[in-house]
Amino acid sequence: MADELHDELEVLVAIMEDDIKIHDDNISADINIVLKLDDPLKVGVSYLEAQMLVKAEDEIMVRYLPPIILRVSLPEGYPEKSPPEFTIDNSWMTDEDKKLITESLIKVRDDNIGQVILYDWITHIQDNVLNLLKISDKLYVDSDEKLNLIEEYNNCMLRKEYDSAIHKCEICLTDLLGKQFEVLSSCSHAFCHSCLGQYCETHIKDGSSRTIDCPDPSCRSKVEIGVVHKLVSKELFEKYDMNLLTFAIRSMSGSVWCPILDCQQPAQVFSMEPHLGKCPVCLFVFCVDCNKASHGNSTCEDHTRLRTDPVEEDVIPLEETTPLNKDFEIFQAMVKRLGAKKTQDYLQKTIDEIFGHLSEVEQRDLVTHYIEASPEEKEKFHAEYGKAYLQYFLSGLRGTRRRTNYSLTRFTEFLLTLENEKHRSPSHQMGQLLKHLEITTFAHGLCLQPCPSCFVPIEKNGGCHHMSCTNCGVHFCWDCMQTMEICSESQCGSRDS
């Protein structure tokens, strides 16, 4: 009897390998029953709202479901005299689902009294799980977290299948195990790590600011930024990431950059006829169309000789018709000074502070109400939270465990949305971001405060309290953080300057 018990467990270990764990008592075990489906299955989310069943639009297709854990204990007298005791556990099933599985296993056990039963239980669940749970063409779970869990497990198992098979790299034409390949999620093309890594490195070293195309010449998909991050060195990735962000900002309507090579700061268009820009750092005035010094009303072709005299006649101030978004200006300057990743880290802290007090249910309600809101109602949401900040938050809700907080696409979309909002003064959200910046820099021993005029972060590394902002040019007092005109009229300005 004992030999029969141990023989059954040894056979299961040989078949299931890592999916079974025998406890030290040698009579109990935990068995992970892998659920591989014959056909792909749709999985979605449904939940109760106001006593009505709501089905979300998001759906995924899977070939694997997270395993059912069968915990068994084989008592003395098993199998002839005593049946095994068991419980089941699962991360995505409801209590009712677990009850159905349990009742089915009891029936199989009662139909096979006196016989070893563990393997029959395993195959019974694997072969009949959808029928037992009364699932025909679609499975519904009751939360986004469970849907994310199912999707992550399915992707992991599909990758294991791929890793254990042999594939041919279409670049070097070498047959290799799948674990040596990177599969592009946007198009499913796969290339070995070595070839794809060299391909990405060459693209970055060439200085291109465009996203990297899939190496397949017939494919228009892009290599995901996460794949690039994985395959190239840290230094190369930071160069690539900054090139992408710079290109995105320069592509935005109204964004121009100083053409002086040693400057390259964000500049402002201050006249449309002639089309002129001015750098707030070096004060260079230039033609936006040809990036040469201002040449008045002469055409770019007729005026090839470099001149630096700004032309003031017939100037049409752009700001009269196009209010500049102060938040956007500050973000541009922060990206230039601190880098894209640090800037987005501060943004994420601000987003967490704005929305972190909401429970999971309240966050779901916010998503539902915003999506279903009329244009007028959406404007109320934008007025309360800020359109760019709200949409950045919502874009991070779906599948947060599959995404990192640092996403170039999300950040670029945020900047594009922010640029089009009409705010001449810094918003409340920007005030929170600057607060995070001040606290963080203080904690790291840096002397950093926002400019009292344009709010760009400024570092002081010595000298007196007289400061000039290189972004907007304002002259201010570091001690009272007011312009020197105001400082001179106050008690602060009475000191020796």
Side-chain angles (χ1 to χ4, degrees):
M1 179 168 51
D3 291 340
E4 192 171 3
L5 182 153
H6 293 141
D7 287 345
E8 182 180 19
L9 292 177
E10 288 179 4
V11 170
L12 288 178
V13 169
I15 296 174
M16 305 190 70
E17 298 179 345
D18 294 337
D19 287 323
I20 182 171
K21 178 183 178 182
I22 300 176
H23 297 168
D24 293 340
D25 57 13
N26 289 324
I27 60 171
S28 60
D30 293 343
I31 304 172
N32 288 335
I33 303 178
V34 177
L35 303 178
K36 182 178 180 180
L37 309 177
D38 294 331
D39 299 304
L41 176 69
K42 289 183 180 179
V43 184
V45 177
S46 65
Y47 52 88
L48 286 175
E49 185 175 284
Q51 297 183 340
M52 294 182 62
L53 186 64
V54 178
K55 295 182 179 179
E57 295 183 0
D58 286 346
E59 291 182 352
I60 59 175
M61 297 290 292
V62 300
R63 283 181 47 217
Y64 286 90
L65 292 172
I68 293 175
I69 302 174
L70 177 63
R71 295 188 170 94
V72 298
S73 179
L74 307 179
E76 186 177 353
Y78 171 83
E80 289 89 350
K81 297 180 180 180
S82 302
E85 300 172 356
F86 73 94
T87 59
I88 65 168
D89 195 10
N90 183 269
S91 57
W92 54 270
M93 289 182 180
T94 64
D95 291 339
E96 182 63 28
D97 292 336
K98 295 175 185 178
K99 182 179 178 182
L100 291 173
I101 297 291
T102 299
E103 291 174 349
S104 177
L105 294 182
I106 291 175
K107 186 178 184 305
V108 173
R109 183 189 66 186
D110 292 345
D111 291 342
N112 294 274
I113 294 177
Q115 301 179 34
V116 292
I117 197 66
L118 299 186
Y119 186 72
D120 290 341
W121 270 350
I122 295 168
T123 56
H124 174 72
I125 291 177
Q126 290 176 328
D127 295 342
N128 301 285
V129 62
L130 296 184
N131 291 332
L132 294 174
L133 300 180
K134 302 177 182 179
I135 299 171
S136 54
D137 60 342
K138 188 180 295 186
L139 165 66
Y140 285 104
V141 293
D142 56 14
S143 71
D144 288 329
E145 287 71 21
K146 290 183 179 180
L147 184 67
N148 293 338
L149 179 68
I150 292 174
E151 185 173 16
E152 289 173 359
Y153 180 79
N154 176 71
N155 292 341
C156 178
M157 295 302 292
L158 291 178
R159 182 69 206 207
K160 282 186 176 180
E161 281 188 2
Y162 185 90
D163 287 351
S164 61
I166 298 293
H167 308 274
K168 182 186 293 291
C169 174
E170 295 302 323
I171 296 178
C172 64
L173 303 179
T174 304
D175 291 329
L176 300 166
L177 277 174
K179 64 182 180 180
Q180 296 176 267
F181 280 74
E182 193 65 45
V183 182
L184 304 182
S185 60
S186 57
C187 59
S188 299
H189 286 131
F191 309 92
C192 74
H193 290 152
S194 177
C195 288
L196 188 58
Q198 292 177 24
Y199 173 80
C200 293
E201 287 179 2
T202 300
H203 180 96
I204 298 170
K205 289 177 180 178
D206 285 345
S208 174
S209 59
R210 304 280 183 168
T211 50
I212 302 176
D213 294 326
C214 170
D216 189 311
S218 63
C219 182
R220 295 185 177 181
S221 298
K222 304 295 182 180
V223 180
E224 296 89 352
I225 192 168
V227 173
V228 180
H229 183 269
K230 175 181 177 181
L231 296 178
V232 304
S233 66
K234 179 181 177 181
E235 292 75 15
L236 271 182
F237 178 76
E238 288 177 350
K239 176 182 178 182
Y240 172 67
D241 192 51
M242 181 53 69
N243 287 344
L244 288 181
L245 186 61
T246 301
F247 175 77
I249 293 176
R250 291 187 178 190
S251 300
M252 296 176 186
S253 175
S255 293
V256 295
W257 293 63
C258 177
I260 302 298
L261 291 179
D262 292 337
C263 185
Q264 294 284 296
Q265 295 290 324
Q268 293 181 355
V269 176
F270 70 93
S271 169
M272 296 303 292
E273 294 181 7
H275 201 188
L276 300 178
K278 183 177 181 179
C279 176
V281 178
C282 68
L283 305 181
F284 179 57
V285 177
F286 58 95
C287 172
V288 175
D289 297 324
C290 66
N291 276 341
K292 299 291 179 63
S294 169
H295 47 74
N297 291 318
S298 302
T299 64
C300 299
E301 292 78 9
D302 293 339
H303 196 92
T304 57
R305 185 171 61 87
L306 181 63
R307 295 195 303 110
T308 58
D309 297 332
V311 178
E312 298 182 356
E313 63 271 20
D314 299 327
V315 171
I316 302 176
L318 184 65
E319 60 178 317
E320 291 184 3
T321 57
T322 309
L324 297 176
N325 185 294
K326 183 60 69 174
D327 282 23
F328 178 72
E329 290 185 56
I330 296 172
F331 269 108
Q332 278 189 314
M334 287 183 68
V335 168
K336 189 68 178 178
R337 182 177 182 84
L338 303 176
K341 188 175 187 307
K342 286 186 178 179
T343 302
Q344 193 176 5
D345 286 341
Y346 288 120
L347 170 61
Q348 187 61 48
K349 291 178 182 178
T350 304
I351 293 295
D352 292 342
E353 184 170 314
I354 297 171
F355 300 98
H357 67 283
L358 299 177
S359 66
E360 181 181 332
V361 174
E362 290 171 330
Q363 291 181 4
R364 186 186 299 156
D365 288 343
L366 178 60
V367 174
T368 302
H369 294 157
Y370 181 75
I371 292 175
E372 297 176 353
S374 65
E376 294 77 14
E377 292 171 333
K378 276 187 168 67
E379 288 302 320
K380 294 181 181 179
F381 282 106
H382 298 162
E384 180 177 357
Y385 297 106
K387 181 179 180 181
Y389 297 93
L390 175 60
Q391 292 185 352
Y392 184 86
F393 167 70
L394 296 180
S395 68
L397 278 182
R398 175 65 177 91
T400 51
R401 281 187 284 183
R402 296 192 308 279
R403 301 178 182 172
T404 61
N405 283 332
Y406 184 57
S407 163
L408 180 71
T409 302
R410 285 180 66 210
F411 193 33
T412 301
E413 290 173 352
F414 169 80
L415 291 176
L416 285 167
T417 304
L418 189 64
E419 183 195 22
N420 293 324
E421 292 189 74
K422 310 301 182 187
H423 294 303
R424 290 182 180 271
S425 302
S427 66
H428 172 67
Q429 291 86 353
M430 178 54 67
Q432 290 176 302
L433 185 143
L434 293 173
K435 179 181 177 182
H436 285 305
L437 177 64
E438 184 177 354
I439 292 173
T440 304
T441 54
F442 177 79
H444 287 81
L446 298 177
C447 192
L448 193 68
Q449 296 192 82
C451 167
S453 175
C454 69
F455 298 91
V456 168
I458 297 175
E459 181 181 358
K460 185 176 187 294
N461 56 15
C464 68
H465 60 278
H466 283 260
M467 297 289 290
S468 292
C469 176
T470 57
N471 185 58
C472 68
V474 70
H475 184 200
F476 67 95
C477 171
W478 183 261
D479 294 336
C480 66
M481 294 306 294
Q482 300 180 93
T483 63
M484 290 307 301
E485 291 81 2
I486 298 176
C487 175
S488 63
E489 298 173 358
S490 66
Q491 185 177 0
C492 177
S494 66
R495 297 172 304 182
D496 183 18
S497 57

